[in-house]
Amino acid sequence: MSLALSTLLYEWRRYMAAVMALALSGLLVLAMTGVFIGIGKGFTATIERSGADIMIMQPGATSLIGGPSGVPRRFIPLAYRHPEVVEVKPLDGAGGSFQSIKTYDPTMSQAERAKTKAPRREFVQTVIIDTTPGSVTIPRDYSQELVDALRQPYTVAVDETALTKLGVKLGDRALYNGRTVTVVGVTRGYPNMMQSTIVMSRDTLRMVGQSDEGSRVGPLMIKISDPARAKIVAAQLTAMGDGQWKAWTRQELADANAGAMFEDGGILIIIIGGCVFLGTVIGVSITWQTLRGAIMANIKEFASLRALGVGMGSLRRIVMELSFWVGLVGVAAAIGLTTLVQWFALSNAVIIALPPILLVFVGGGLIVIAMLSGLLSMGVLKNSQPADLLR
C-alpha cells in the first residue's frame, strides 16, 4: 500500500471535508443535469418504453422534441414491404378539455368556483394506444389489467403526477370534450411536467369524435420479428424509403431526444453552466484548504522524510497521489449521494436521469478538481525543513 493511500485511510478525518466538498459539488451538477435530462425522458417515455423496435419519421426530423416528425398515411403499407416487419402503427395523439364531474356545476359562476377551490377545466394532451394484445403502441411497463381496463369504452388513465391538478382519482368520472369518461388506471413514471396527459384507446378516441382519418399521421412505430436486428432493419428501411423517410432504432431516437434538450436551449445551458462553475469554485476552494491544512498538520512527517533523503519531487508526487485518492473517494460519494436523491425523487414521481457518459464526465471533473487543489497545496511543502525537527 502506498504512503499516500495509507495516510488517507488512517487519517481520514482530516480529509473528510475535502471528500464532502467534492461529493456535494458532484451532486449539484449531477442532480441539476439529471433533472433536465429526466424532463426530456418524461416527454418521450411513452415512445421509449413502447414495444416499437424502429420509428419512421420525416427525413429532416432530428428528434421527437420540437419540429414536425409525422409522415403521410400511405407510408404504412409501404413499410410492410420489408419481410421482417410484423406490425406498423402510427403514433397518434389528440387533446381536449378535461374536468372532474364531482367538481362540475354548470350553474356556478367563475367566482363561485374560485371560492370553492374546485379544480378548473384543464386542457390535456391525449396519448393513444391500441389495446389489441401485444400492440406496438402499448408501453412495455403497462400491466395487462390496465390494458384490459382501457379496452372498455370511454375509459382513460392518468399519471399520478396529474391527479391533483385534474381533481380526480381512480374510479372517478370526468368530462372530456363534453363526453363522460372514467378514470380506470393510474400510471407511474410518466411525469406531466408542463401539461397534464391522459391515455385512452384508439376506439375511445373514435367514440369521443377525435379520430383523424386524414392523409397524415404521426411517426410510425414498427415491430420486427427479431429485435436484435433493429439497427440493420432500420438501415434497410431507410434505403427502401428512397429519401422519403428515415428509420430510427429506439435507442438512436432516445439518444437524439436527450441531445435535443441541449440544442437551442440557452437558459438550460446557462443554468447547467452556472452549476458547473459554482461546483468547481466550491470544490477547489474547500478541497484546497483542506489538503493544505492536512499537509500542515503532517509537516513534521514530511520533514522526517526529507531528513531521510527523500527529495522534494517525491514529496510532491505523494501529495498529488493523495489528491487523486481524495478525488476518487469524492467521486464515489457524489454518485452515492446522487443515487439516494434519485431514489427519493423517483418516489415523488420526478425522474433524474443519469446516463453513463454524464457520470464519467462529472467524475473526471471531480478528480481534476482534486488534483488542481493538490497542486495549489504544494507550497506548504517548503515548510518541511529537517532543521525544524530539532526545535
Side-chain angles (χ1 to χ4, degrees):
M1 183 181 295
S2 67
L3 178 61
L5 183 56
S6 60
T7 300
L8 179 61
L9 291 176
Y10 288 104
E11 299 187 22
W12 59 270
R13 292 178 181 83
R14 294 185 188 274
Y15 301 93
M16 184 54 63
V19 170
M20 290 309 300
L22 291 172
L24 293 176
S25 298
L27 173 63
L28 177 65
V29 178
L30 286 172
M32 289 299 296
T33 308
V35 164
F36 285 114
I37 296 177
I39 290 174
K41 287 190 173 294
F43 283 124
T44 59
T46 303
I47 296 94
E48 294 180 9
R49 300 178 194 175
S50 71
D53 302 305
I54 297 171
M55 298 280 291
I56 283 183
M57 302 193 297
Q58 290 186 18
T62 57
S63 70
L64 282 169
I65 300 176
S69 56
V71 296
R73 186 180 294 274
R74 60 184 177 84
F75 284 0
I76 297 177
L78 295 180
Y80 276 109
R81 293 186 302 172
H82 195 288
E84 296 186 56
V85 172
V86 281
E87 185 181 4
V88 181
K89 291 288 185 182
L91 175 65
D92 282 339
S97 63
F98 187 98
Q99 185 172 19
S100 172
I101 283 183
K102 65 183 180 183
T103 63
Y104 176 72
D105 184 353
T107 64
M108 290 176 63
S109 66
Q110 202 67 19
E112 290 172 329
R113 289 194 184 98
K115 288 181 181 179
T116 59
K117 296 182 180 179
R120 64 182 186 274
R121 182 180 301 176
E122 295 282 347
F123 183 84
V124 297
Q125 290 182 332
T126 307
V127 174
I128 309 303
I129 67 168
D130 298 275
T131 54
T132 53
S135 174
V136 70
T137 57
I138 299 175
R140 289 167 293 173
D141 57 350
Y142 274 22
S143 66
Q144 188 58 48
E145 291 76 11
L146 175 58
V147 176
D148 291 340
L150 288 173
R151 191 175 291 122
Q152 305 303 313
Y154 297 102
T155 55
V156 300
V158 180
D159 192 78
E160 61 181 353
T161 56
L163 291 175
T164 302
K165 185 177 181 180
L166 297 178
V168 294
K169 63 181 185 299
L170 186 64
D172 282 356
R173 293 189 302 163
L175 292 177
Y176 175 77
N177 281 356
R179 304 292 185 93
T180 302
V181 295
T182 304
V183 179
V184 296
V186 177
T187 60
R188 182 178 178 82
Y190 297 83
N192 300 169
M193 297 295 184
M194 296 182 181
Q195 193 170 50
S196 300
T197 302
I198 64 173
V199 182
M200 68 172 59
S201 69
R202 200 178 299 273
D203 292 332
T204 296
L205 181 72
R206 185 181 65 254
M207 293 174 185
V208 297
Q210 285 193 312
S211 180
D212 184 9
E213 300 297 333
S215 61
R216 295 190 66 82
V217 294
L220 300 184
M221 307 176 73
I222 297 177
K223 181 186 290 187
I224 61 176
S225 55
D226 184 6
R229 286 177 46 83
K231 194 168 185 178
I232 298 173
V233 175
Q236 293 171 348
L237 283 170
T238 299
M240 287 172 56
D242 195 23
Q244 299 180 84
W245 69 53
K246 181 181 178 181
W248 303 66
T249 65
R250 188 172 56 238
Q251 187 58 51
E252 287 172 346
L253 190 56
D255 295 340
N257 291 334
M261 289 289 296
F262 297 93
E263 292 181 4
D264 300 324
I267 296 179
L268 176 60
I269 294 174
I270 290 173
I271 292 175
I272 294 178
C275 290
V276 172
F277 176 76
L278 183 61
T280 301
V281 171
I282 293 174
V284 169
S285 58
I286 297 180
T287 306
W288 170 31
Q289 293 301 318
T290 302
L291 289 175
R292 180 184 175 87
I295 294 172
M296 283 296 296
N298 293 327
I299 199 66
K300 289 187 176 181
E301 285 78 359
F302 283 105
S304 299
L305 291 174
R306 291 191 65 183
L308 292 172
V310 177
M312 283 295 292
S314 298
L315 295 182
R316 292 190 181 98
R317 283 194 294 272
I318 292 174
V319 171
M320 293 305 294
E321 184 185 349
L322 182 61
S323 303
F324 171 78
W325 288 115
V326 168
L328 204 60
V329 176
V331 170
I335 294 176
L337 288 175
T338 307
T339 302
L340 292 177
V341 173
Q342 184 184 34
W343 288 345
F344 176 76
L346 190 60
S347 67
N348 290 277
V350 176
I351 299 175
I352 296 181
L354 299 175
I357 186 64
L358 176 63
L359 297 178
V360 171
F361 176 78
V362 175
L366 293 179
I367 292 178
V368 169
I369 288 174
M371 299 292 283
L372 179 61
S373 301
L375 193 63
L376 293 174
S377 304
M378 289 291 189
V380 182
L381 291 175
K382 295 179 180 179
N383 299 323
S384 59
Q385 298 298 328
D388 293 339
L389 296 173
L390 301 175
R391 296 177 183 177

